[in-house]
Amino acid sequence: FASEDDVLQWLEVLVRKDRRERRYYVLHFPAPPDVLDKAGTIFAGDSFVVKPVLSRLAAQGHSVFTYPWNEGLPLFLSQAAKAAIEEECLTGMAFSRVPVR
């Protein structure tokens, strides 16, 4: 569900315990878009986001994204991506709404 405007990578991580290995993949955003509405977002200091508010215009065209400074969490999804996840009955995640201006 990533759009052409989304910049993301799946980084391979090899986890070893004793003599066993298991491969996992971690979602990474090398260039997160600047999608925050600066006037509505609550910051602590210069860059720590306490409560994000997305800019409708800046987030337009993105489907799977995050914002700068947050180390990839929280993850934002378009309504279509959320619906696909729910349709497949995937578990282990919770969805919440974020304000958009």
Side-chain angles (χ1 to χ4, degrees), residues 75-96:
L75 170 68
F76 298 98
L77 300 173
S78 66
Q79 196 63 33
K82 177 184 178 276
I85 288 170
E86 292 174 332
E87 186 175 308
E88 293 296 324
C89 299
L90 299 175
T91 62
M93 62 198 89
F95 298 103
S96 59

Side-chain angles (χ1 to χ4, degrees), residues 14-22:
L14 185 61
V15 177
R16 294 184 179 122
K17 182 179 179 185
D18 300 324
R19 294 188 173 143
R20 296 184 309 185
E21 293 182 345
R22 183 172 260 174

Side-chain angles (χ1 to χ4, degrees), residues 1-16:
F1 278 88
S3 74
E4 290 182 13
D5 294 335
D6 296 326
V7 179
L8 56 90
Q9 300 170 330
W10 286 101
L11 302 178
E12 184 177 4
V13 178
L14 185 61
V15 177
R16 294 184 179 122

Side-chain angles (χ1 to χ4, degrees), residues 29 31-35 54 64-68 70-76:
F29 297 92
D34 186 8
V35 294
L54 298 181
V64 180
F65 60 97
T66 189
Y67 53 81
N70 79 346
E71 307 304 325
L73 293 174
L75 170 68
F76 298 98

Side-chain angles (χ1 to χ4, degrees), residues 36 38 41-50 68-69:
L36 295 177
K38 303 296 189 294
T41 296
I42 298 172
F43 291 92
D46 291 335
S47 59
F48 184 80
V49 176
V50 175
W69 315 296

